[in-house]
Amino acid sequence: MGIKSNVEFSGRLVYINELNVDNRAEIHINKFYQGSITLYKVSRDIVNLVREEIDQYLVIELEEGEKITAVGLNFKSASGGMNNCFKLELQADVLFKGERAYTNISKFQEIHYEITEGNELIGLCPYDVNKNYEDILFYRKIDIPINVENKIVKLENGELTFCVYPKYQYSKEAFSIGFAHHIIWKFDCAIDMEQIRKNLYIITDFFSVLAGESITVNSLNCVENDKLVEVIGICNFPKEKLNILKNDTIDYTSFKRGGLYKITDFQNLEQAMKYWFSNYKKIYNAQQAYGRILLDEDVKIVTINKFLAAMQLIEGYTQAYTDEEKEIKKFEEKKNEIISKLESEEEKELVGKGLGYSGISFRKAVKDYLYKGCNCFTDLSRTKFMKEKEKLINDIVNDRNFYTHSSNRVSATMEFDDLLNVASLCKELYRIISLKDMGLDTEIIKQRSQTNRMCYWLMKSIMKIEIENDTLQLGEFDGAMRYFSDSK
């Protein structure tokens, strides 16, 4: 990130909203990448203004000449008051650092940003690293051709460019080459920070499905007149590395990389991303449940809530794609069939008026979800699949009801570890289903799933399905990076 946490700036406060002022100001970027602002010798009128109004902003001119605009101000405290001079402490949601001042409604038409492990998730290598690998290995000659390649996607609201490029580092005794990335988003029309934030949430959620982990925006710059305006506070917990690639198991990075989906896996990336953006509102509830599972895994919390989030994930996804008209028609047919068997007119009226469609049953949701997630790995018909998985489905439904409704009429059937494994399975199936929905080839899903040890084990131990692939091959990026692995 350009600006690190736990750094300070000092300067003069020149504006609060459109009011001209002149006060000493300090900004501290805390560990959550929030701007803690201290203003000195401000009047009571300024204190009252900040306390009472919303959607405020202020501008601080730094000693070196740049300006910081703080938007989304939150009052923290005011102290002093002698001679109408107060020390005022505020917290800002977002800071803009650039050559000029901005406001809370400033708009930008282009942004540049970086995400967690962007090079891996983009899946492009800026060098032809294997061309002369043995010459480098045996100290014969260092010759590494640059092979810069971008991916460009046209969306409904603009154009996305995924860039991977060389990065060089020099020191007194060493020279090293590395990888860097940028994602450039040129919007069709200028949008404000609130809209930018919403778009970034959607695309980081897209990458979280690819990674199977939470993804954050680690650096953000808005572009104005070809000049970069740094944005601080868009992410409070930046995540630099993916857990899947950490050097803490028997597997080397080269093997682990094989279980990680990349945007280059899609034959038609534009179609995939358009699908994701156009359907995001529909799957929002499912995606939020998925995100809670990822957060639990990131902070290593193990509670029953992971299982309940997985159940919400199942419901959120299946309800999103349910053909309601078809389901209501089936419901009414079944309802009329029940009414026709009743003799009392009072009973018929009670059922007719009291029984209404409230969505598909959770049992049906579980059946649909499991079958859709597993059918690319098995040739079983839906009927046979349901028969074989009947006990698993019963256990999931039973324990979901037990932990959701706290009923004394049922008791839990699965052990705690089994609940967590079911939750992890639901998470992996959500990724598989979502990637299939976006048009990713089934063979690539099989290859990645086979290399993902957790997914492979969950499918084998819970679903009794062994993922097989006769043509297990490395992707182009995986092949190019096969020699590059963290040492044990």
Side-chain angles (χ1 to χ4, degrees):
M1 299 183 68
I3 292 182
K4 301 294 183 184
S5 61
N6 296 315
V7 296
E8 294 184 351
F9 301 95
S10 61
R12 303 294 299 176
L13 175 69
V14 292
Y15 292 107
I16 290 186
N17 299 337
E18 297 179 353
L19 181 67
N20 288 316
V21 288
D22 184 13
N23 299 88
R24 186 163 68 90
E26 294 176 352
I27 302 177
H28 172 71
I29 311 298
N30 64 24
K31 64 180 180 179
F32 304 116
Y33 289 87
Q34 298 165 324
S36 296
I37 303 167
T38 305
L39 307 178
Y40 297 92
K41 294 185 178 181
V42 300
S43 68
R44 184 180 297 275
D45 290 340
I46 297 296
V47 174
N48 292 336
L49 173 71
V50 174
R51 266 181 165 165
E52 295 169 6
E53 292 193 17
I54 58 174
D55 295 330
Q56 300 181 84
Y57 69 94
L58 60 78
V59 178
I60 297 171
E61 185 173 336
L62 302 179
E63 293 171 351
E64 58 268 26
E66 287 188 305
K67 293 181 174 65
I68 288 183
T69 304
V71 300
L73 301 179
N74 298 294
F75 176 84
K76 289 178 67 179
S77 68
S79 58
M82 184 75 69
N83 299 322
N84 196 31
C85 292
F86 290 83
K87 176 184 174 182
L88 180 58
E89 294 189 2
L90 308 170
Q91 187 165 293
D93 291 337
V94 174
L95 305 175
F96 297 99
K97 183 171 180 284
E99 293 185 0
R100 76 169 186 88
Y102 297 91
T103 72
N104 56 335
I105 57 172
S106 293
K107 295 185 177 183
F108 302 91
Q109 198 160 352
E110 183 178 333
I111 59 173
H112 297 184
Y113 61 100
E114 299 173 12
I115 61 171
T116 311
E117 297 271 23
N119 292 76
E120 294 281 348
L121 293 172
I122 292 171
L124 294 172
C125 182
Y127 310 98
D128 188 353
V129 289
N130 293 305
K131 185 174 182 180
N132 301 306
Y133 182 77
E134 287 192 0
D135 286 341
I136 300 169
L137 189 65
F138 295 107
Y139 308 104
R140 290 196 288 261
K141 182 174 66 171
I142 299 176
D143 182 12
I144 307 174
I146 292 175
N147 181 36
V148 176
E149 184 182 357
N150 298 331
K151 281 280 183 183
I152 300 174
V153 174
K154 182 68 179 172
L155 298 176
E156 296 296 328
N157 64 346
E159 185 180 83
L160 270 171
T161 304
F162 300 94
C163 315
V164 174
Y165 54 91
K167 179 175 70 175
Y168 309 114
Q169 292 181 325
Y170 304 86
S171 69
K172 182 169 65 71
E173 298 177 342
F175 165 69
S176 65
I177 63 172
F179 305 83
H181 79 280
H182 262 121
I183 303 174
I184 300 171
W185 203 336
K186 294 181 180 178
F187 301 105
D188 291 336
C189 58
I191 60 176
D192 62 24
M193 183 49 59
E194 187 60 32
Q195 291 172 298
I196 290 172
R197 191 196 295 265
K198 287 178 181 177
N199 280 288
L200 289 173
Y201 283 157
I202 297 173
I203 199 164
T204 50
D205 278 350
F206 167 82
F207 278 108
S208 78
V209 172
L210 267 62
E213 296 183 29
S214 57
I215 300 296
T216 63
V217 173
N218 293 352
S219 171
L220 173 63
N221 289 277
C222 296
V223 180
E224 183 183 57
N225 299 325
D226 296 327
K227 293 182 179 178
L228 296 180
V229 181
E230 187 160 14
V231 181
I232 310 149
I234 199 70
C235 174
N236 298 135
F237 302 95
K239 179 179 175 182
E240 296 291 340
K241 300 292 182 183
L242 287 171
N243 296 321
I244 191 176
L245 297 180
K246 286 182 179 176
N247 187 20
D248 56 359
T249 66
I250 61 170
D251 295 320
Y252 284 89
T253 309
S254 303
F255 177 82
K256 295 175 182 178
R257 184 178 285 121
L260 192 65
Y261 293 94
K262 289 88 173 164
I263 64 169
T264 46
D265 286 342
F266 291 97
Q267 288 183 312
N268 191 332
L269 178 61
E270 189 167 301
Q271 176 185 303
M273 297 204 72
K274 281 182 176 179
Y275 180 91
W276 180 257
F277 273 83
S278 62
N279 285 274
Y280 186 81
K281 188 175 180 180
K282 187 186 290 186
I283 63 164
Y284 180 79
N285 287 339
Q287 186 63 34
Q288 293 305 298
Y290 175 73
R292 289 196 296 276
I293 294 173
L294 300 187
L295 181 60
D296 280 2
E297 292 179 348
D298 260 355
V299 298
K300 296 177 173 57
I301 290 177
V302 182
T303 70
I304 204 67
N305 290 329
K306 183 176 181 180
F307 174 74
L308 292 176
M311 300 303 98
Q312 292 166 349
L313 174 59
I314 291 174
E315 279 196 293
Y317 179 84
T318 50
Q319 293 283 6
Y321 290 102
T322 296
D323 185 339
E324 268 207 344
E325 288 187 9
K326 183 180 176 182
E327 291 299 325
I328 290 172
K329 185 179 178 182
K330 286 168 64 177
F331 173 82
E332 290 297 331
E333 288 173 354
K334 186 68 175 176
K335 176 179 168 181
N336 290 333
E337 182 185 336
I338 293 170
I339 292 173
S340 68
K341 295 176 181 178
L342 300 174
E343 295 181 0
S344 165
E345 289 300 321
E346 187 178 345
E347 290 176 342
K348 289 181 180 181
E349 186 178 352
L350 181 65
V351 173
K353 292 183 177 180
L355 192 60
Y357 179 75
S358 59
I360 65 171
S361 71
F362 183 69
R363 181 177 295 276
K364 184 178 187 308
V366 173
K367 289 179 177 180
D368 291 347
Y369 189 84
L370 293 180
Y371 184 69
K372 187 170 184 178
C374 295
N375 68 358
C376 65
F377 305 120
T378 178
D379 296 328
L380 289 177
S381 67
R382 181 183 174 87
T383 303
K384 192 172 182 182
F385 179 88
M386 296 308 165
K387 188 175 180 181
E388 285 191 5
K389 312 305 174 191
E390 184 177 6
K391 184 181 184 307
L392 174 64
I393 293 167
N394 288 340
D395 288 348
I396 291 173
V397 173
N398 179 85
D399 284 22
R400 175 262 191 183
N401 291 339
F402 174 79
Y403 290 109
T404 301
H405 305 301
S406 301
S407 172
N408 292 326
R409 291 176 294 176
V410 295
S411 58
T413 57
M414 288 189 281
E415 298 292 334
F416 184 71
D417 286 350
D418 295 330
L419 292 173
L420 296 182
N421 289 336
V422 166
S424 297
L425 173 70
C426 292
K427 167 200 156 184
E428 292 300 332
L429 292 181
Y430 178 71
R431 297 177 66 203
I432 291 166
I433 292 168
S434 298
L435 293 166
K436 283 169 64 180
D437 287 344
M438 286 187 277
L440 188 61
D441 185 80
T442 302
E443 286 304 311
I444 293 176
I445 293 175
K446 286 182 180 179
Q447 289 172 11
R448 297 285 187 210
S449 299
Q450 191 179 36
T451 314
N452 181 340
R453 288 196 187 277
M454 176 58 75
C455 181
Y456 183 87
W457 179 80
L458 290 167
M459 291 296 291
K460 186 175 181 180
S461 62
I462 299 176
M463 301 308 297
K464 311 305 178 190
I465 295 173
E466 191 160 350
I467 302 172
E468 296 180 356
N469 192 294
D470 297 331
T471 58
L472 183 60
Q473 296 176 348
L474 291 172
E476 187 175 338
F477 176 77
D478 302 332
M481 297 289 291
R482 67 186 183 274
Y483 294 117
F484 292 80
S485 179
D486 294 331
S487 58
K488 292 291 181 182

